[in-house]
């Protein structure tokens, strides 16, 4: 009962794996503490001043050999612990295609989330159980950190940059969601709920949300309304790179570098077009830095991404 | 003038304490012992300032709602606590007081190599302190002691410039002290004091000094850049103008992780003096102890990234930093084994310094082991920025360094003041401090792992029980810190006079009168044996005789 109170609930296989490492480390630590307590305690009592215990010089065995012995033993024990934890991390594997993508924007002092169908939430994130989920996160101001203790996950959320958090929850319920990176006055109120639902309940919930629409679809509308298609479209008369299928490809730049066209690259290209000029094109694109909100950029990138996956499917 | 013949007005031999009583004689003294006392007074003031700040914080945290102080005040209080405790108490604590006082005496020198630089570094410390006090009076600073960008440069509405300036200035004090110690250790060792005969405290000071000299400038640069961005708008960390906020974290931790070793290496040095003395045994594995300290100082420079596992740095970088963090834990473990082994076949007595030193080993072990948790990437992801981390570093810095500081205060008190201290009170304070400490910080491990983030003025009610325990413990701890202030003040005026060497300890500092004369030694001492010569290697130790050592040396001098 007490134990259940001091151990946080786990809501994913990953959380369970983390706990196994945690308890193992705990066991090793308790063992070492006990060993020290016993050995130290025995010495303290046995060799108190004037006790009848045998003194004399240090036994030969206790000199160099034992020192080298416990140095090496400690070293290998630590290396083993490192290796074990590292192996568990590495084996959690790369992102899968088809992960449910939820966009999260952090600002002083709230969390804003946008579901794939455009449904928006504040300080709450709803996710379906047993489904790989990917949170794509950015911040509008300072550094925040999304902390989901039930999933043993935490990720700093940075301004002007996208970071991912991936998980597959295996248990329904409502769990805390917190900001873990100090972000100013109301830092301790930048909290909310992670709601893990059954797939059916999630679908139902999604459809019941007002304003839901396809995020990529919204991006497509922006692509036209902002005039992007005027240059980047197939029929455009201005010479600009074709964006169909660009997502995930490598792009040759004018200065000789080759970069991967990922979220960050596309974002930079929209906001700071002069940073990375594609080989063979003039640097004529204006910046959209002051025109677009973070959410709009996310929508545009989602649209470009959808173009790429369409092409692959064909 | 011959020192031995010099007499103060009251007929007692001239000591560094009776060598002038005016304020001016203190503020212009270049005597390393007097400067140590200047530092001791100043860091004590800052210790209590930082303590008051955290006292209010702990009081606020008794209830889950933000009800005692406003959210902004709360943020300013924990920031003040962090800045003051790290830069104005812990970093200078043992080096500037005991390092200053003892380093020259332990190597048989009459002062540090650059006495005026030594005094100047104290003035730098005070200047830095004034900036910080100004920031406090002007309304405080709310960035946390870590000054993370872009919050500190673009968003905070508090006195970041003054606070950063304070830390910037006090950094020069650190560097000056470090250079002084390094030069002194190289140039001023007396005849026969070879490197492998240096007491481990001197080695600890030497290793610490290198870390100070090499790491502090990086912090200074980082803070200068923060000031440049905040004040002049130079875009360095602000990502909307192409800056990189993570750059600041790299620079900051490149200093602030080694700074942990600035705080703990001196503590290790102190404990390495005390264990042999009260166990009456030579330190176990002297050479390994030296190598371990050097290894900690060197490897400590390559682990800063373990503070940034969730910052968005590459996963491969995380693994490299994780690996190196495990490696740096090995020499620390070796030291714990060696202190324990020093007790083997000893003749142990349990005066207050030994109480504190044993407490140090216990708390440092828990701090070190939880450090392994945090070096493990998946564990750190859950635990970082929670109370687990808070508990961990307090076990190292308060359980470790501050316990060792109190061990040092009691161990060298007779030498520094010429008076004994009340043993019963001191043991009581040591025990109270140990329990108060665990009472305060152990519950923080539990709530941290459960997901209680740090720097929260209000929090989910399920954590209240742990916060209440922690705050109650803090009250005990506060009493344990105030107690020595009381009985040591009494002891300074009223306690029995101390002989040269009340502990029958080895080490050159104990061959001088208590308190020592202005120039320490009548003639440069000559060393012809290794440190901790408590017994010949081929036989075991004798029990330490009861009572004070005879004053034979004094009468023959």
């Amino acid at each position: 009962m007490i134990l259940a109170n001091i151990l946080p609930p786990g809501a994913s296989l990953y959380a369970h794996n983390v706990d196994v490492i945690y308890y193992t480390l705990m066991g090793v630590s308790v063992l070492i503490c006990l060993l020290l307590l016993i050995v130290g305690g025995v010495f303290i009592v046995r060799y108190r001043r004037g006790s009848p215990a045998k003194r004399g010089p240090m036994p030969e065995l206790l000199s160099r050999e034992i020192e080298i012995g416990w140095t090496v033993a400690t070293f290998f024990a630590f290396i083993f612990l490192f290796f074990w934890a590292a192996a568990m991390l590495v084996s959690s594997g790369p992102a899968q295609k088809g992960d449910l993508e939820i966009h999260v924007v952090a600002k002083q002092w709230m969390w804003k989330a946008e579901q794939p169908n455009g449904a928006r939430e504040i300080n709450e994130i709803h996710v379906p159980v047993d489904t790989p989920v990917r949170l794509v996160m950015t911040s509008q101001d300072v550094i925040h950190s999304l902390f989901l203790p039930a999933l043993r996950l935490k990720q700093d959320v940075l301004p002007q940059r996208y970071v991912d958090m991936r998980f597959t929850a295996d248990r329904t319920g409502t769990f805390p969601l917190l900001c873990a990176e100090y972000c100013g006055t109301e830092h301790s109120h930048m909290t909310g709920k992670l709601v893990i639902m059954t797939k059916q309940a999630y679908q139902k919930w999604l459809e019941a949300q007002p304003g839901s629409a396809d995020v990529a679809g919204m991006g497509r509308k922006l692509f036209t309304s902002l005039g992007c298609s005027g240059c980047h479209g197939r029929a455009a008369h201005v010479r600009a790179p074709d964006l169909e299928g660009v997502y995930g490809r490598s792009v040759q730049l004018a200065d000789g570098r080759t970069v991967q066209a990922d979220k960050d690259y596309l974002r930079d290209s929209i906001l700071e077009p002069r940073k990375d000029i594609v080989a063979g094109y003039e640097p004529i694109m204006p910046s959209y830095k002051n025109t677009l909100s973070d959410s709009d950029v996310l929508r545009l990138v989602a649209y470009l991404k959808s173009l790429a996956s369409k092409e692959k499917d064909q | 003038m011959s020192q031995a013949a010099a007499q103060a007005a009251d007929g007692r031999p001239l000591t560094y304490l009776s060598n002038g009583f005016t304020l001016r004689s203190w503020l212009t003294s270049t005597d390393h012992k007097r400067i140590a006392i200047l530092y001791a007074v100043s860091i004590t003031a800052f210790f209590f300032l930082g303590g008051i700040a955290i006292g209010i914080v702990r009081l606020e945290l008794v209830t889950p709602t933000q009800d005692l102080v406003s959210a902004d005040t709360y943020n300013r209080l924990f920031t003040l606590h962090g800045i003051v405790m790290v830069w104005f108490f812990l970093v200078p604590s043992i080096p500037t007081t005991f390092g200053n006082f003892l380093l020259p005496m332990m190597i048989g020198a009459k002062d540090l190599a650059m006495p005026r630089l030594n005094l100047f570094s104290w003035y730098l410390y005070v200047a830095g302190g004034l900036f910080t006090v100004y920031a406090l009076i002007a309304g405080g600073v709310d960035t946390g002691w870590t000054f993370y960008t872009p919050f500190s440069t673009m968003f905070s509405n508090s006195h970041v410039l003054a606070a950063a300036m304070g830390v910037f200035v006090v950094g020069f004090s650190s560097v000056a002290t470090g250079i002084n110690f390094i030069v002194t250790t190289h140039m001023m060792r007396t005849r026969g004091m070879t490197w492998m005969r240096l007491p481990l405290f001197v080695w600890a000071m030497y290793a610490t000094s290198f870390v100070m000299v090499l790491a502090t400038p990086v912090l200074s640069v980082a803070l200068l850049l923060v000031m440049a961005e905040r004040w002049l708008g130079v875009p360095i960390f602000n990502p909307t103008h192409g800056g990189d906020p993570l750059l600041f974290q790299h620079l900051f931790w490149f200093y602030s992780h080694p700074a942990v070793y600035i705080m703990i290496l001196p503590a290790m040095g102190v404990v390495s003096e005390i264990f042999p003395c009260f166990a009456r045994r030579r330190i176990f594995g002297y050479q390994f102890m030296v190598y371990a300290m050097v290894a900690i100082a060197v490897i400590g420079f390559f682990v800063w990234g373990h503070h940034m596992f969730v910052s968005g740095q590459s996963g491969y970088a995380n693994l490299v930093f994780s690996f190196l963090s495990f490696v740096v834990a090995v020499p620390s473990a070796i030291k714990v084994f060696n202190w324990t082994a020093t007790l083997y076949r000893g003749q142990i007595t349990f005066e207050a310094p030994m109480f504190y030193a044993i407490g140090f080993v216990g708390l440092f072990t828990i701090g070190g082991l939880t450090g392994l948790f945090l070096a493990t990437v998946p564990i750190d992801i859950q635990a970082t920025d929670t109370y687990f981390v808070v508990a961990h570093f307090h076990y190292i810095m308060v359980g470790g360094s501050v316990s060792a500081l109190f061990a040092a205060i009691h161990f060298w008190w007779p030498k520094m003041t010429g008076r004994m201290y009340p043993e019963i009170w001191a043991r009581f304070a040591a025990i109270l401090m140990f329990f108060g400490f665990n009472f305060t910080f152990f519950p923080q491990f539990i709530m941290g792992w459960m997901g209680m983030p740090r720097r929260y003025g209000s929090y989910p009610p399920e954590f209240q029980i742990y916060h209440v325990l922690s705050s109650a413990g803090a009250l005990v701890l506060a009493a344990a810190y105030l107690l020595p202030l009381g009985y040591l003040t009494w002891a300074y005026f009223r306690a029995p006079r101390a002989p040269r060497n009340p502990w029958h300890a080895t080490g050159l500092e104990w061959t001088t009168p208590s308190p020592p004369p202005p120039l320490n030694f009548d003639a440069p001492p000559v060393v012809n044996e290794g440190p901790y010569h408590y017994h010949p290697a081929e036989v075991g130790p004798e029990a330490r005789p009861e009572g004070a050592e005879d004053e034979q040396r004094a009468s023959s001098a």
Side-chain angles (χ1 to χ4, degrees), chain A residues 103 114 120 214-232 243 270 288 291-304:
Chain A
H103 295 160
E114 189 169 298
R120 307 229 207 143
D214 179 33
V215 175
M218 288 156 75
R220 191 183 61 228
K221 278 186 205 143
L222 282 171
F223 197 74
T224 320
S225 67
L226 290 166
C228 308
S229 52
C231 303
H232 291 286
L243 297 182
I270 296 167
Y288 285 81
T291 336
L292 291 178
S293 70
D294 280 320
S295 312
D296 284 344
V297 178
L298 277 167
R299 288 179 190 126
L300 277 170
V301 173
Y303 168 61
L304 295 176

Side-chain angles (χ1 to χ4, degrees), chain B residues 101-116:
Chain B
F101 197 98
L102 295 168
L103 179 68
M105 298 183 76
M106 282 181 163
I107 62 173
K110 61 184 197 302
D111 206 323
L112 285 174
M114 295 172 273
R116 277 179 292 186

Side-chain angles (χ1 to χ4, degrees), chain B residues 6-201:
Chain B
Q7 304 264 308
D10 63 355
R12 303 185 63 84
L14 184 68
T15 71
Y16 82 100
L17 287 172
S18 60
N19 190 19
F21 294 93
T22 58
L23 193 60
R24 186 190 155 83
S25 76
W26 280 93
L27 295 183
T28 59
S29 172
T30 54
D31 183 338
H32 65 104
K33 300 180 289 300
R34 288 197 152 212
I35 295 168
I37 302 297
L38 290 178
Y39 269 117
V41 171
S42 358
I43 69 162
T44 305
F46 277 104
F47 177 68
F48 283 100
L49 177 64
I52 289 167
I54 205 63
I56 303 171
V57 163
R58 286 281 14 136
L59 202 58
E60 166 65 61
L61 291 172
V62 170
T63 57
T65 49
Q66 183 98 50
D67 40 20
L68 180 69
V69 293
S70 71
D72 272 327
T73 309
Y74 180 86
N75 296 341
R76 282 161 165 77
L77 283 168
F78 73 68
T79 301
L80 178 73
H81 170 73
I83 290 177
V84 163
M85 288 302 201
V86 170
W87 285 297
F88 295 93
F89 174 65
L90 280 166
V91 164
S93 62
I94 296 178
T96 60
T97 55
F98 292 97
N100 245 328
F101 197 98
L102 295 168
L103 179 68
M105 298 183 76
M106 282 181 163
I107 62 173
K110 61 184 197 302
D111 206 323
L112 285 174
M114 295 172 273
R116 277 179 292 186
L117 181 66
N118 195 21
L119 181 66
F120 181 59
S121 74
W122 180 73
Y123 278 101
L124 284 173
Y125 171 91
V126 172
L130 288 178
F131 274 108
T132 306
V133 170
Y134 166 77
L136 166 69
I137 293 170
V141 56
D142 71 348
T143 59
W145 75 280
T146 45
F147 292 106
Y148 268 21
T149 56
F151 181 74
S152 63
T153 54
M154 311 298 296
F155 291 87
S156 171
N157 287 314
S158 63
H159 297 267
V160 179
L161 281 179
M165 197 59 175
V167 177
F168 178 74
V169 171
V170 83
F172 286 90
S173 165
S174 254
V175 173
T177 302
I179 289 173
N180 219 341
F181 284 7
I182 292 170
V183 175
T184 306
T185 314
H186 274 272
M187 306 303 291
M188 310 276 285
R189 283 171 291 125
T190 192
R191 196 138 63 87
M193 182 57 89
T194 59
W195 284 93
M196 281 296 148
R197 285 179 180 170
L198 288 176
L200 287 172
F201 182 77

